[in-house]
């Protein structure tokens, strides 16, 4: 029940902005020179709404375990992480963030797009919460024969007292900042869900102003 209440609140906020801006434009209350700015705000809020809907759908599919047993296949985690890095490179470059990647072969049985989402959400956060000029190191490989993923950034960091809570649905350390960056507050709860399915663990080490390191260990048996 709490989740539904949060969802409707979170959906309403961007919707209210979109209809508010559109109404002003429709009634001729916006000067022609400000039209681009207003339509830009509508565009941004609509994107955020799109992200939110996608995340909610993903979570409810995971809740129903729809994806978790169907289409299991042999997945090369290192190749998947390379795709994540390639897809984030443009965003990182725009922020002048150096993104480096080191991958060693790590294969597991799993659902490709679900694993992709897990890798992507953590790396995307690193780009999102690192200031221009920062550095991100991404590593995939094996530790003790188990698939291992680590994303290290020198970004804004997370206060000790909040480190447990960031995995909760809709929990954000700084709501305004997350919003401005297009965040939904659901990314890490999706990660946690996926990691649990693979009987793995996700750990964060972080210091405010110094950066954060997220480490995922997956426990599932490796593909032969
Ligand atoms: P969001 O969509 O807000 O990024 P997430 O569930 O992915 O939602 O993350 C929850 C919160 O955890 C974020 O709002 C942010 O406050 C914090 N966070 C996550 N990753 C990082 C990081 N690499 N550096 C600093 N803060 C982070």
């Amino acid at each position: 029940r709490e989740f539904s209440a949060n969802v409707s609140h979170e959906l309403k906020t961007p919707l209210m902005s979109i209809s508010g801006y559109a109404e002003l434009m429709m009634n001729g209350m916006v000067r022609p020179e400000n039209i681009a700015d207003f339509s830009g705000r509508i565009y941004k809020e609509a994107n955020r709404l799109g992200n939110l809907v996608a995340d909610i759908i993903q979570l409810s599919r995971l809740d129903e375990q729809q994806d978790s047993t169907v289409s299991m296949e042999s997945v090369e985690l290192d190749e998947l992480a390379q795709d994540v890095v390639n897809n984030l490179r443009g965003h990182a470059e725009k922020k002048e963030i150096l993104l480096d990647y080191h991958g060693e072969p790590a294969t597991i049985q799993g659902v490709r797009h679900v694993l992709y989402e897990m890798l992507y959400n953590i790396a995307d956060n690193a780009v999102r919460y690192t200031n221009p000029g920062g550095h991100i190191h991404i590593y995939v490989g094996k530790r003790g024969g188990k698939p291992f993923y680590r994303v290290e950034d020198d970004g804004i960091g997370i206060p000790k007292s909040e480190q447990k809570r960031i995995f909760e649905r809709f929990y954000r350390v700084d709501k305004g900042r997350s919003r401005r960056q297009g965040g939904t507050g659901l990314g890490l709860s999706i990660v946690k869900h996926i990691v649990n399915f693979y009987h793995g663990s996700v750990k964060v080490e972080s210091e405010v102003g110094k950066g954060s390191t997220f480490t995922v260990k997956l426990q599932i048996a490796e593909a032969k």
Side-chain angles (χ1 to χ4, degrees):
R1 202 182 298 149
E2 190 190 338
F3 182 60
S4 317
N6 280 333
V7 166
S8 54
H9 173 77
E10 297 285 338
L11 290 175
K12 261 188 212 150
T13 319
L15 267 176
M16 297 283 279
S17 312
I18 291 170
S19 71
Y21 294 135
E23 191 181 16
L24 289 173
M25 287 166 73
M26 184 176 74
N27 294 336
M29 312 272 285
V30 180
R31 292 208 197 107
E33 65 267 31
N34 293 332
I35 293 279
D37 177 36
F38 272 67
S39 33
R41 292 188 214 180
I42 292 178
Y43 180 73
K44 222 175 156 187
E45 289 297 321
N47 267 341
R48 222 164 64 75
L49 202 55
N51 290 342
L52 202 57
V53 169
D55 277 356
I56 291 165
I57 290 172
Q58 169 79 281
L59 259 182
S60 63
R61 288 178 75 178
L62 288 167
D63 278 345
E64 287 166 22
Q65 305 263 305
Q66 266 185 16
D67 271 340
S68 41
T69 43
V70 288
S71 57
M72 292 283 265
E73 58 190 320
S74 203
V75 180
E76 319 283 343
L77 266 195
D78 49 321
E79 285 173 16
L80 214 53
Q82 180 75 68
D83 289 347
V84 167
V85 170
N86 291 342
N87 288 335
L88 282 172
R89 207 168 276 292
H91 189 195
E93 274 168 11
K94 244 192 236 157
K95 286 186 73 178
E96 291 175 21
I97 290 171
L98 275 178
L99 185 61
D100 78 33
Y101 169 70
H102 184 72
E104 282 161 22
T107 308
I108 71 166
Q109 287 295 323
V111 182
R112 184 178 298 276
H113 74 91
V114 170
L115 286 165
Y116 180 90
E117 178 95 8
M118 185 273 289
L119 303 177
Y120 184 89
N121 284 352
I122 297 177
D124 183 36
N125 279 344
V127 178
R128 192 177 290 163
Y129 301 107
T130 296
N131 291 322
H135 303 80
I136 298 172
H137 303 282
I138 298 183
Y139 171 77
V140 170
K142 284 189 285 191
R143 284 286 153 87
K146 307 255 170 65
F148 178 88
Y149 177 57
R150 188 180 62 218
V151 177
E152 197 182 333
D153 68 54
D154 57 4
I156 63 171
I158 305 160
K160 279 266 172 308
S161 56
E162 319 256 351
Q163 288 175 14
K164 265 218 171 81
R165 302 210 62 194
I166 54 172
F167 294 96
E168 293 171 17
R169 293 177 180 190
F170 293 119
Y171 192 83
R172 284 156 282 192
V173 176
D174 176 347
K175 239 184 164 167
R177 181 172 179 129
S178 160
R179 253 192 89 150
R180 285 192 297 279
Q181 311 273 332
T184 62
L186 291 175
L188 287 178
S189 67
I190 292 175
V191 165
K192 181 102 187 164
H193 216 306
I194 296 170
V195 167
N196 283 346
F197 175 75
Y198 288 93
H199 308 293
S201 64
V202 52
K203 193 178 84 182
V204 58
E205 292 156 285
S206 183
E207 206 176 312
V208 172
K210 290 241 167 89
S212 311
T213 300
F214 283 80
T215 308
V216 173
K217 289 181 194 152
L218 300 174
Q219 296 289 331
I220 207 160
E222 278 184 74
K224 294 260 151 52

